[in-house]
């Protein structure tokens, strides 16, 4: 736990995580809690300030999200954003109403006086609005400090009680001076110290793991991806070879991945690694299965069975194993929390779940307070190879969810070859590290083609490449035409069994990044 933090209370905003990220960019720790969090939980993070997020509701809705009134009397600076402003006004004696003219998009804000929130900023600023309600009357003690053409209230404050609020979103890039506004709150009003650095996090985490584990032993389920590799490296730094990493070949890995991951983790990182080739038993379970959810569950359940067997074997050989290391990230924690308030659970937990109760392992999640980009920076400070840190996300069910329909050895071989070409050409073009994910999908669609003088009847391959910040939303990458053409030509010429290549231009939403 850091010595100080900024707590963000989430009222269902799509930008709640972004607020926390903007605070962390200033080297100040920030945590997102549901608006239903108790005062005791808020205090447990030693906050120097509280931010009330936006949200889609109206304060007068029957099920409108709310928070404990005591947050306004803790003596801490509070910044309300959008719905946070309306909630602050409503709770403290003001009035809120549906705006005569809703504001969505860019707006010009006029700063009216010398508020500390707008210190050393222009008198007029372009901001990003997204609201349907507005504050009609200010609570006692508050004054208007900014307005727009369409909203009489753009920002309010009660400096005696350290209460501030803005109707726009300073956390988004569309608000040009948004970072400066947040910095004025973080440093000028909350007096936070920029002490949350990578090295500080590493030192604190290593020390914490040593205290927690003592002389005990731990195991880690490794995928070879960024998250589990960084988590394992941190814990290995703390307890050395008392950590055993288990890497399971589930039969649906990419080309040469089983060998490459072992080389990176064992030879380059020095981890104590146990590699288990269980591909035959996984593929036997998948035989004849076409439903995507059944595929996922079968692979997950079989992984648990394999991992359980290996954990017992390790315990018999080395002694009692008490701890399980997972590469859980902060978005996983937020999205998986059942009491998150009004925000919907977007996806289930990505890490090892459903472990048999008799294992009775206690969790170590050294990355649970970090976002993906922060994990990569931690990895660099740990001296980890870029080959591992720049690895694009890969789904737990592997190629099974990139083969639509039944997973067979023949189809796996086709997809491995095609995917290897996609990734190779993306890297050759210098685009791999700039793209969130890029991969091939094998479709259960056969089409007629012509190669030489012969007629072919073969599979269709789809190419997918997306930009994303955290995987929750994604935009299609406009790959250069020459790159796409080279990928298509190589796949059709080199992968016998595929004669047509298409490009997926769907964003998320409405689509998903993976096809299954």
């Amino acid at each position: 736990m850091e010595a100080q933090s900024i707590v963000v209370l989430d009222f269902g905003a799509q930008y709640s995580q972004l607020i926390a990220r903007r605070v962390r960019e200033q080297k100040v720790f920030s945590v997102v809690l549901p608006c239903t969090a108790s005062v005791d939980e808020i205090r447990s993070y030693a906050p120097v300030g509280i931010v009330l997020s936006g949200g889609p509701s109206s304060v007068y809705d029957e099920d409108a999200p709310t928070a404990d009134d005591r947050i306004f009397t803790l003596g801490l600076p509070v910044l309300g954003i959008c719905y946070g402003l309306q909630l602050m006004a409503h709770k403290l004696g003001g009035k809120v109403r549906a705006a005569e003219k809703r504001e969505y998009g860019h707006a010009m804000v006029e700063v009216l006086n010398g508020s500390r929130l707008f210190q050393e900023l222009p008198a007029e600023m372009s901001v990003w609005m997204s609201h349907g309600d507005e504050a009609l009357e200010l609570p006692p003690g508050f004054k208007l400090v900014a307005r727009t053409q369409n909203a009489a209230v753009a920002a309010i404050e009660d400096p005696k009680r350290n209460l501030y609020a803005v109707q726009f979103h300073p956390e988004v890039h569309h608000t040009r001076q948004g970072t400066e506004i947040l910095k004025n709150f973080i440093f000028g009003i909350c007096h936070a110290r920029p002490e949350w650095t990578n090295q500080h996090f590493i030192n604190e985490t290593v020390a914490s793991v040593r205290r927690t584990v003592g002389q005990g032993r731990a195991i880690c389920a490794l995928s070879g991806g960024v998250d589990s590799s960084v988590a394992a490296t941190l814990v290995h730094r703390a307890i050395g070879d008392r950590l055993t990493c288990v890497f399971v070949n589930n039969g649906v890995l990419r080309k040469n991945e089983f060998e490459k991951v072992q080389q990176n983790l064992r030879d380059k990182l020095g981890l104590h690694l146990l590699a288990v080739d269980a591909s035959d038993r996984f593929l036997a379970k998948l035989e004849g299965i076409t439903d995507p959810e059944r595929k996922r569950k079968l692979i997950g359940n079989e992984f648990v069975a394999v991992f359980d067997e290996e954990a017992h074997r390790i315990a018999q050989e080395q002694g009692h194993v008490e701890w399980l290391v997972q590469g859980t990230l902060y978005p996983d924690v937020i999205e998986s929390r059942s009491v998150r308030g009004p925000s919907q659970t977007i996806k289930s937990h990505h890490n090892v779940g459903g472990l048999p109760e008799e294992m009775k392992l206690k969790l170590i999640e050294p990355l649970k307070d970090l976002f993906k980009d922060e994990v990569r920076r931690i990895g660099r400070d740990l001296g980890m190879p870029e080959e591992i840190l720049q690895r694009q996300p890969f789904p737990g069910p592997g190629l099974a969810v990139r083969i639509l329909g039944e997973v067979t050895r023949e189809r796996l071989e086709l997809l491995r070859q095609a995917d290897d070409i996609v990734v190779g050409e993306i890297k050759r073009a210098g685009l791999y590290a700039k793209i969130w994910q890029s991969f091939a999908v094998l479709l259960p669609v056969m089409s007629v083609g012509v190669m030489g003088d012969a007629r072919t009847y073969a599979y269709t391959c789809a190419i997918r490449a997306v930009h994303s910040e955290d995987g929750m939303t994604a935009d299609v990458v406009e790959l250069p035409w020459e790159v796409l053409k080279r990928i298509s030509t190589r796949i059709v010429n080199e992968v016998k069994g595929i004669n047509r290549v298409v490009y997926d231009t769907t964003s998320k939403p409405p689509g998903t990044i993976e096809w299954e």
Side-chain angles (χ1 to χ4, degrees), residues 307-478:
F307 191 74
D308 186 22
E309 293 168 14
E310 297 304 322
H312 280 94
R313 185 177 294 116
I314 293 167
Q316 289 173 351
E317 295 174 356
Q318 301 177 17
H320 179 60
V321 176
E322 192 175 0
W323 301 92
L324 171 66
V325 179
Q326 287 192 171
T328 310
L329 298 192
Y330 197 45
D332 297 330
V333 174
I334 295 173
E335 291 165 5
S336 301
R337 188 168 179 180
S338 60
V339 292
R340 192 189 169 202
S343 293
Q344 293 182 341
T345 297
I346 297 171
K347 53 191 173 185
S348 58
H349 204 285
H350 291 302
N351 292 288
V352 180
L355 289 173
E357 288 186 9
E358 60 267 21
M359 289 181 71
K360 296 181 180 177
L361 294 173
K362 292 178 281 188
L363 282 179
I364 298 175
E365 297 173 302
L367 309 179
K368 63 181 174 59
D369 289 329
L370 302 183
F371 292 99
K372 175 75 79 172
D373 56 326
E374 294 170 331
V375 171
R376 286 195 168 104
R377 290 198 292 270
I378 294 297
R380 288 191 183 97
D381 278 22
L382 287 168
M384 296 176 64
E386 284 297 314
E387 182 181 353
I388 294 175
L389 298 178
Q390 289 299 333
R391 186 179 188 236
Q392 294 178 356
F394 187 61
L399 298 181
V401 292
R402 294 178 180 175
I403 295 175
L404 275 63
E406 184 182 4
V407 177
T408 66
R409 294 181 188 273
E410 175 203 6
R411 290 179 173 181
L412 276 167
E413 184 55 31
L414 291 177
L415 182 55
R416 284 192 179 107
Q417 293 181 56
D419 188 76
D420 191 57
I421 290 171
V422 171
V423 174
E425 290 297 336
I426 294 287
K427 287 181 176 178
R428 177 183 169 189
L431 299 172
Y432 185 81
K434 301 174 182 177
I435 295 174
W436 176 262
Q437 271 175 285
S438 51
F439 54 89
V441 180
L442 188 68
L443 306 183
V445 176
M446 308 289 282
S447 69
V448 174
V450 177
M451 298 189 75
D453 295 324
R455 176 180 179 273
T456 62
Y457 189 60
Y459 285 105
T460 301
C461 173
I463 310 303
R464 183 81 160 131
V466 296
H467 289 305
S468 181
E469 193 167 280
D470 50 24
M472 295 174 66
T473 60
D475 293 317
V476 65
V477 175
E478 295 183 19

